[in-house]
Amino acid sequence: MDFPAEPFRIKVIEPIKKTTREQRIQQLEKAGLNVFNIPAEMVFIDLLTDSGTSAMSDNQWAGLMMGDESYAGSKNYYHFEESIRDIFGFSCIIPTHQGRSAENLLFSVVLKKGDFVPNNIHFDTTRANVLHNGAVPVDLVIDEGLDPHCEHPFKGNMDIAKLERLIEEKGAGQIPIILLTVTNNSGGGQPVSIENIRQVHRVARKFKIPFFLDACRFAENCFFIKEREPEFAKTSIVEIAREMFSYADGCTMSAKKDGLVNIGGFLAMYDTALYEKAANLLILVEGFPTYGGLAGRDLEAIARGLQEVLDEDYLAFRIGQVRHLGKMLSESGVPILKPVGGHAVYLNAREFLPHLPQSQFPAQALTVALYREAGIRAVEIGGLMFGMTDSETGQERYPELELVRLAIPRRVYTSMHMQYVAHAIAQIHKQRDSIKGLRLLYQAPLLRHFTARLAEVS
Ligand code: PLI
């Protein structure tokens, strides 16, 4: 039955506020037309991110009360370790306060200046941490992964020929690690197949390069594998996850996604020498190895969340809810990136607002319109986030895609909320000609989208 209703009922509610259009216009003015500057209380439906925004279960909240806040050897750490070993297999586990901290620890101990790091597509923090350690991030997703209309089932796959070419060109000595992000967030939350993971594993073995997964959305990836890779049609999600991680030497994980918690992450591996180096650095920057940057109660919530996320009814609902939003939008003629990925629907702003040149930030103009007209907060993934001013020529350089991401928090919004979002965006689409372009008033030299201020082009 294609009817993935919420496999939970609601026990605690958090009121959200409906604001008036006038109030929202005022907020936008104060915020310099940047939705990052708007207080969350003034947002009706917050689709800025699916990271750290999940609702925890009664079982997880009960776990918080079992927090053992001992400095060393907290019982929650052992449970956390057991839960991770059960699914991921890795013997050495380092808790961190979130995903980017795991990335930083790993790259600090494996990278040196001038190295290259292949990935399908690096997420911003992964890219920034690679660069911070003097190495060069290289995105090697298959060509289909960059085409917003291509319906390939595994658009997150790595291009194996490109990977081998990179290693042969640079030499394996210049590539201390191969990464693969499941699902591929920056490419639209698109999954990677087990077949592709096996191929990357073979290349990594051939050249003796460690292979790590960026596992933030591993369970969503496993659900797509079950759905789309015939060999796994009858395999349980946990077995698919075990198979997936059996090909990797380690992983980084932001538990703020498929850990179903509001804070936390970890770095895991088999290599004890690597573990020792990372754990020594952990003590310096995060904390003792049995708590990392977390409280005992947080470790308990992660231990429980990682098991809950494997529930097939939950995943059918989760992927189904995101897909249903995409379907409603598509049926109203709203241009979206296809196929719909695991955690978000991406609006194609260039097609939504064809009258705006990229120099007028169409994706940000659409993000502003979603908030102004409907109180929906999304995130721009286009010229504002990835464009840059060439320091020599003073010319702006823009990315290929101008997208607006509607990231859906886990277990937070109901299907009626999703209908509201689809209906509001369809209305905005009908009045798209009235949406004006934007110009920059202020930009920081790095990661400018967080703090930029803009104005409408008159
Ligand atoms: O936000 P962190 O530091 O817990 O995790 C960083 C991170 C690493 N990899 C991937 C694939 C991510 O998506 C990611 C964080 N994503 C955010 C915040 C997002 O809004 O998508």
Side-chain angles (χ1 to χ4, degrees), residues 9-278:
R9 53 187 179 181
I10 296 165
K11 181 143 54 180
V12 177
I13 61 111
E14 177 188 357
I16 48 176
K17 192 150 94 184
K18 281 195 164 176
T19 48
T20 63
R21 191 169 186 274
E22 285 63 39
Q23 285 173 320
R24 296 194 293 271
I25 288 173
Q26 261 181 15
Q27 289 296 331
L28 281 167
E29 267 169 27
K30 268 202 267 177
L33 302 188
N34 184 344
V35 295
F36 278 102
N37 294 334
I38 291 177
E41 273 198 320
M42 297 303 289
V43 176
F44 183 48
I45 308 284
D46 204 344
L47 308 183
L48 189 70
T49 179
D50 64 317
S51 178
T53 52
S54 298
M56 291 203 293
S57 65
D58 51 3
N59 175 47
Q60 285 175 294
W61 280 102
L64 292 187
M65 291 304 293
M66 306 297 287
D68 165 3
E69 305 307 340
S70 307
Y71 190 91
S74 145
K75 71 176 179 209
N76 309 115
Y77 173 75
Y78 297 111
H79 187 204
F80 170 83
E81 197 181 49
E82 180 190 306
S83 185
I84 294 170
R85 284 215 186 115
D86 172 48
I87 305 163
F88 298 70
F90 306 118
S91 48
C92 304
I93 297 157
I94 293 179
T96 60
H97 79 276
Q98 61 184 91
R100 67 198 70 182
S101 171
E103 291 169 351
N104 187 270
L105 290 172
L106 175 64
F107 300 155
S108 299
V109 296
V110 301
L111 298 186
K112 60 182 187 317
K113 204 164 184 287
D115 283 342
F116 294 84
V117 179
N119 199 335
N120 41 3
I121 305 185
H122 291 77
F123 178 67
D124 335 11
T125 60
T126 324
R127 183 182 309 281
N129 272 304
V130 168
L131 289 168
H132 182 69
N133 283 283
V136 180
V138 186
D139 293 341
L140 299 178
V141 72
I142 54 171
D143 291 344
E144 291 89 334
L146 297 172
D147 174 354
H149 300 286
C150 176
E151 293 267 0
H152 191 287
F154 290 104
K155 279 175 89 170
N157 281 356
M158 174 96 89
D159 187 320
I160 301 299
K162 284 188 200 162
L163 176 64
E164 289 195 302
R165 212 173 307 134
L166 179 81
I167 301 172
E168 274 154 18
E169 256 173 38
K170 306 295 177 194
Q174 293 276 99
I175 302 178
I177 192 161
I178 299 173
L179 299 175
L180 195 58
T181 307
V182 294
T183 57
N184 184 26
N185 182 12
S186 308
Q190 301 292 333
V192 179
S193 68
I194 288 279
E195 188 44 38
N196 192 251
I197 292 170
R198 284 180 184 144
Q199 288 169 334
V200 175
H201 164 80
R202 268 183 231 126
V203 174
R205 280 287 166 279
K206 180 171 149 197
F207 293 98
K208 299 192 171 54
I209 302 173
F211 168 34
F212 274 58
L213 288 167
D214 175 340
C216 297
R217 298 178 178 86
F218 77 97
E220 290 169 6
N221 199 86
C222 290
F223 186 82
F224 283 116
I225 288 171
K226 184 169 175 113
E227 211 181 43
R228 298 181 185 172
E229 208 166 351
E231 181 186 342
F232 296 97
K234 294 203 164 65
T235 314
S236 70
I237 297 293
V238 69
E239 286 301 333
I240 296 173
R242 286 176 187 145
E243 170 100 15
M244 182 164 88
F245 289 109
S246 75
Y247 298 109
D249 298 300
C251 76
T252 57
M253 167 98 190
S254 165
K256 297 173 75 173
K257 285 81 168 171
D258 275 351
L260 296 177
V261 292
N262 307 118
I263 197 72
F266 59 87
L267 170 63
M269 66 203 78
Y270 293 109
D271 182 339
T272 48
L274 187 63
Y275 167 79
E276 266 173 35
K277 284 191 205 158

